[in-house]
Amino acid sequence: MASTIQTPGTISARPAGDSPPRALMDRLGAFIVRRRRRVLVLSLLTVLVAAAVGTGVFSRLQSGGFDDPNSDSSHAATLLADRFDAAPADVVVVVSTTGKSIDEAAATAAGKELTAKLVAEPGVKNVTSYFITRSPALRGTAGTDAVITVNLTTRDEAAQTRAVELAKAYQGPLAGTPLTLGVTGTATVFGEVGDTITKDLAKAESVAIPLTMLLLLLVFGTIVAAGMPLVIAVVAVMVSFLALYLTTLVTDVSIYALNLVTSLGLGLAIDYSLLIVSRYREELAHGHDTNNAVRRTVATAGRTVMFSAVTVTISLAALLVFPQYFLRSFAYAGIATTALAALAAVVVLPAVLATLGTRVDKGRVLKSTTRVADDKTGGWYRLSGVVMRRPWWFLIGGTALLITLGLPFTRVVFGQTDDRVLPASSQVAQASNTLRNAFDSRETTPLTVVLPASQPAGDSLAAYATTLSQIPSVVRVDSAAGSFNAGRLVAPPTSANQRYENSNGTYLSVIADVEPYSTAGKELVSEIRGTPAPGPAVVGGISATFVDSQNAMGARLPLAIGIIAIATFVLLFLFTGSVVLPLKALILNTLSLTAMFGALVWIFQEGHLQWLVGDFQVTGMLDTAMPILMFCIAFGLSMDYEVFLLSRIKEEYDKTGDNTEAVRIGLQRTGRLVTSAAVLLAIVFLAFATSGVTIIKMLGIGVALAVLVDATIVRGLMVPAFMRLAGDLNWWAPAPLRRLHNRIGLKESASPDATDVEPDLASPAAAGSAVQ
């Protein structure tokens, strides 16, 4: 009988000559080697089909998605559109003169002519102009500005496209007149954001790809090997576009998700390719022929890639619990991209390696490669020794540093994305700021109160409007009963007021003078909703949408965090057989994100480092959705590196039973790989700092910082310090869970033999064996 070591201190017998049971990934590796050409042909056909069909997704994506579709505010918007054919202005033309009154004869004549041109534009349904109505509400406080509002016949993406066309046609000085025009409005802003993101995506790729390729050459050392991540990235990104296209057939998808597809697709392709190619080179160096090196690589590094992909997917899947399709879109994009990057790394890349053999090292430009030496003289091995001699210093010091970097987040003020997501240099943003600063009230973005059940009697409706008009921040209430200010009727009902009422009910327009995304705006919504109405009332408008969106995210955030924590814990338990290591991973990974959260507030809320990160408008708040989104993305990527490191540590621990030495060797074998992958991934995300849309800039800088902090301070210092202090306790689990892991846990090692894989006669080892 021959004996093999299963785990430290445990011997199991197996008849001599018997092969160990072949694990799933081991069998997959053998299959890929045998069918390498078929795999490559099928992969190529899939990419071609995906490129032909999937690129159609660009015209199907939406620019909104920040609202809770199940909220009262969304219900109010639907009622307004369906029952009253009323909606916020799609296009707002801000008309200004230079130092002259907007009421001068020349300005008035030009304004009337401009209004007539807008009415005649295709796709325009309704135009309300100061130059026709002479409503004081449409005139700026300085008397030099006025507003023309436009509603379009189309909605959503079509409305945004048409709004941008009108903005381009009417922005700037109006020839032959004293008027200068600025164009904004809901559809205009979102349309401009969509166009900007599409252009920024191409610009970011033009920066990231050449720089990444150069660094890949430095990391891999050869031209052929450096091209492997790009092959995987093309597969992942192209097929992800197809997956998103199919998703748009059944639900709305945000255009912002495109940035995640490209950055995550390239980033994970780099991560996974580094791991696969590095392990493949190791197996070749250990004397295995090409075929068996590929099989063993899939069985070990391939398994790690799949585990890593599942951890990233879990974090991104948590976004599905939120009702806003802005967040859900990142889940759709991230899950598809992660799964496809992993699939390409464990199927397509091994098929390429099996075809190339040792030619993967062709085109050498540097002597260094990603293969890590087996000896104990490497820099990461020495660093871990320094850390483990004084583990408390590094663990406490690292924790203190990360908490300090996260302190600015205690000053966070939450808001929601609006026109100020565009840079100050944008003409649409400039028009929006003129509208914000030159007019006392928010005439173009009122709160609305819909009474859908019936038409209240005139007296009760007037009494209700009177009460609402007495709320301190309310400037005016318009209704079918007339217009009210400060508790009194200021304009009796006219034919114009008939639009507020029909057989489907009635609604009131509440004009306020507070910033919608502010504490005062939230309090106003609360006061309106708390005011007794003459029937069931539904409150909508920007401030109401903000309140409902924040409430929806706050209510579902514990569920999202719970999903991530529980699923990650279970997965890491199956991976390691320990209950201590999953807890350690959850705590340290969360701690690694503190620097990112602190930077979000310090840079984007408070306006520091604009000279470095580029032009953006400082609003004094952060979009509520962004910290949630970035937590899920960065946590998943941090766990990605945790799995890389734990995989090699566990492999060594299973061989020797020496916890300290296993950590040092595991760090030596993965330290350069993880830091190289982190730097490359950070570059991919940092390219989005060139974006003109603030939340994309925020996403790029925040995730890049989180990845770098995690790969250096956490993986390089805090993890080895913790594992040195915990010792063999790292691998502890209660007896029932140990038995459970023995039955269903996942194993790391590959079979030592390759009985179902033909030897690669091109390799020296196989050739020698054949001669014998």
Side-chain angles (χ1 to χ4, degrees):
M1 300 285 285
S3 297
T4 52
I5 297 178
Q6 300 293 323
T7 57
T10 302
I11 306 294
S12 78
R14 188 177 69 243
D18 283 1
S19 295
R22 299 293 295 278
L24 174 62
M25 297 302 292
D26 201 357
R27 295 195 300 271
L28 175 62
F31 175 83
I32 292 169
V33 168
R34 291 196 308 270
R35 301 287 187 267
R36 66 190 78 175
R37 291 181 180 83
R38 293 182 185 180
V39 169
L40 293 177
V41 170
L42 182 60
S43 300
L44 178 60
L45 291 176
T46 301
V47 170
L48 292 175
V49 171
V53 179
T55 49
V57 72
F58 290 89
S59 63
R60 299 184 59 84
L61 299 175
Q62 309 292 322
S63 300
F66 300 96
D67 310 339
D68 176 6
N70 303 313
S71 65
D72 277 0
S73 54
S74 293
H75 184 42
T78 301
L79 289 172
L80 280 173
D82 293 345
R83 297 192 178 190
F84 303 97
D85 196 25
D90 296 307
V91 178
V92 177
V93 181
V94 183
V95 184
S96 303
T97 59
T98 305
K100 297 181 179 180
S101 172
I102 199 71
D103 295 315
E104 285 192 351
T108 298
K112 289 181 177 180
E113 185 178 351
L114 171 64
T115 302
K117 287 183 179 179
L118 288 169
V119 169
E121 284 283 355
V124 170
K125 177 173 62 177
N126 182 52
V127 175
T128 302
S129 172
Y130 168 75
F131 301 101
I132 304 299
T133 66
R134 291 293 169 176
S135 169
L138 300 177
R139 183 176 183 269
T141 53
T144 58
D145 305 281
V147 162
I148 302 173
T149 64
V150 178
N151 287 95
L152 302 174
T153 56
T154 55
R155 295 186 188 179
D156 300 326
E157 195 68 21
Q160 294 169 21
T161 300
R162 183 64 182 130
V164 170
E165 291 173 352
L166 291 174
K168 291 177 179 178
Y170 285 92
Q171 281 175 151
L174 190 60
T177 76
L179 305 182
T180 299
L181 310 181
V183 184
T184 182
T186 304
T188 313
V189 168
F190 281 127
E192 180 80 359
V193 167
D195 285 357
T196 303
I197 285 177
T198 302
K199 295 174 185 175
D200 288 347
L201 191 59
K203 181 168 64 176
E205 289 173 349
S206 69
V207 172
I209 291 176
L211 186 56
T212 300
M213 191 63 203
L214 176 62
L215 291 176
L216 284 172
L217 282 172
L218 296 177
V219 172
F220 281 101
T222 70
I223 294 173
V224 174
M228 296 298 101
L230 298 182
V231 172
I232 303 308
V234 168
V235 175
V237 171
M238 287 294 104
V239 185
S240 293
F241 284 157
L242 176 60
L244 273 191
Y245 176 83
L246 296 175
T247 305
T248 63
L249 300 179
V250 295
T251 188
D252 290 328
V253 178
S254 171
I255 194 170
Y256 295 97
L258 279 180
N259 297 275
L260 188 64
V261 170
T262 56
S263 58
L264 200 61
L266 181 56
L268 290 181
I270 291 169
D271 284 2
Y272 297 157
S273 298
L274 275 169
L275 191 64
I276 295 291
V277 174
S278 175
R279 187 62 183 240
Y280 173 67
R281 283 170 160 173
E282 274 190 51
E283 298 297 342
L284 288 178
H286 290 159
H288 295 288
D289 62 53
T290 295
N291 289 349
N292 289 321
V294 170
R295 180 187 59 79
R296 293 176 65 85
T297 297
V298 173
T300 53
R303 170 184 175 274
T304 301
V305 165
M306 296 306 294
F307 242 102
S308 166
V310 173
T311 60
V312 176
T313 299
I314 287 169
S315 294
L316 293 168
L319 294 170
L320 293 173
V321 307
F322 297 99
Q324 293 89 346
Y325 77 77
F326 168 77
L327 289 173
R328 296 171 69 90
S329 296
F330 281 91
Y332 306 145
I335 291 171
T337 305
T338 303
L340 290 165
L343 186 64
V346 299
V347 175
V348 180
L349 182 54
V352 173
L353 294 175
T355 302
L356 289 174
T358 57
R359 288 173 294 180
V360 71
D361 286 327
K362 286 285 187 181
R364 183 171 296 280
V365 293
L366 292 172
K367 291 183 178 180
S368 61
T369 69
T370 55
R371 185 173 62 84
V372 183
D374 291 338
D375 60 48
K376 302 177 181 180
T377 61
W380 286 99
Y381 186 88
R382 295 195 300 271
L383 174 63
S384 61
V386 173
V387 172
M388 289 184 168
R389 283 193 290 273
R390 289 176 174 76
W392 282 113
W393 290 18
F394 286 96
L395 189 60
I396 294 173
T399 301
L401 174 61
L402 293 177
I403 290 175
T404 301
L405 292 175
L407 285 177
F409 196 68
T410 60
R411 304 191 295 270
V412 67
V413 176
F414 289 115
Q416 191 159 324
T417 293
D418 61 9
D419 56 89
R420 289 171 292 181
V421 75
L422 292 167
S425 57
S426 163
Q427 289 184 312
V428 173
Q430 291 170 4
S432 299
N433 286 328
T434 300
L435 191 63
R436 183 177 289 107
N437 299 324
F439 294 79
D440 276 340
S441 60
R442 309 287 176 174
E443 291 290 335
T444 60
T445 54
L447 284 163
T448 53
V449 184
V450 184
L451 305 172
S454 61
Q455 295 179 6
D459 292 343
S460 61
L461 181 63
Y464 181 52
T466 299
T467 304
L468 291 177
S469 72
Q470 292 175 311
I471 297 174
S473 54
V474 173
V475 174
R476 191 179 73 257
V477 176
D478 296 327
S479 71
S483 297
F484 299 81
N485 170 261
R488 58 190 179 85
L489 180 68
V490 294
T494 64
S495 58
N497 294 87
Q498 293 177 3
R499 64 191 177 97
Y500 293 105
E501 187 174 76
N502 60 32
S503 59
N504 295 314
T506 188
Y507 76 96
L508 302 89
S509 178
V510 181
I511 314 298
D513 60 0
V514 297
E515 171 60 39
Y517 303 131
S518 66
T519 301
K522 293 167 67 176
E523 291 174 349
L524 173 60
V525 173
S526 180
E527 287 188 76
I528 293 175
R529 287 177 170 169
T531 301
V538 186
V539 180
I542 291 181
S543 292
T545 298
F546 175 48
V547 170
D548 293 341
S549 185
Q550 282 208 315
N551 289 342
M553 285 187 281
R556 290 166 175 80
L557 183 58
L559 175 60
I561 293 175
I563 289 172
I564 293 173
I566 293 172
T568 301
F569 182 91
V570 171
L571 195 68
L572 288 182
F573 166 73
L574 293 175
F575 189 66
T576 63
S578 165
V579 297
V580 176
L581 291 176
L583 287 174
K584 181 270 300 179
L586 289 172
I587 294 169
L588 291 188
N589 279 25
T590 302
L591 191 61
S592 74
L593 303 183
T594 55
M596 177 185 73
F597 288 132
L600 291 182
V601 171
W602 195 70
I603 296 174
F604 293 98
Q605 179 178 304
E606 299 176 353
H608 298 96
L609 296 184
Q610 282 185 287
W611 60 271
L612 179 63
V613 303
D615 179 32
F616 61 90
Q617 296 193 67
V618 180
T619 63
M621 59 187 180
L622 294 181
D623 187 297
T624 312
M626 289 308 295
I628 296 173
L629 171 64
M630 294 171 68
F631 172 84
C632 292
I633 294 174
F635 187 90
L637 293 174
S638 297
M639 199 60 70
D640 189 40
Y641 298 135
E642 175 78 9
V643 171
F644 284 11
L645 179 57
L646 279 182
S647 173
R648 294 313 293 263
I649 292 175
K650 184 178 186 299
E651 188 174 345
E652 292 302 317
Y653 184 74
D654 285 348
K655 291 177 182 177
T656 66
D658 185 336
N659 176 77
T660 300
E661 193 66 8
V663 173
R664 296 188 68 180
I665 292 177
L667 192 62
Q668 169 63 23
R669 288 180 177 271
T670 61
R672 184 170 181 264
L673 185 153
V674 167
T675 51
S676 298
V679 169
L680 288 162
L681 184 64
I683 288 171
V684 172
F685 274 94
L686 279 174
F688 290 117
T690 62
S691 176
V693 178
T694 302
I695 58 176
I696 299 301
K697 190 187 296 288
M698 191 184 303
L699 176 67
I701 292 172
V703 173
L705 178 61
V707 166
L708 291 175
V709 167
D710 182 80
T712 53
I713 297 174
V714 175
R715 298 297 148 226
L717 304 177
M718 297 178 71
V719 167
F722 176 91
M723 294 192 73
R724 173 66 181 86
L725 290 169
D728 288 336
L729 185 63
N730 283 304
W731 310 98
W732 178 84
L737 290 181
R738 284 202 306 274
R739 290 192 294 270
L740 178 65
H741 182 265
N742 288 335
R743 285 178 19 224
I744 66 172
L746 299 165
K747 310 302 180 186
E748 175 67 23
S749 60
S751 305
D753 306 308
T755 57
D756 61 348
V757 178
E758 297 176 0
D760 179 6
L761 298 180
S763 74
S769 177
V771 170
Q772 292 174 357

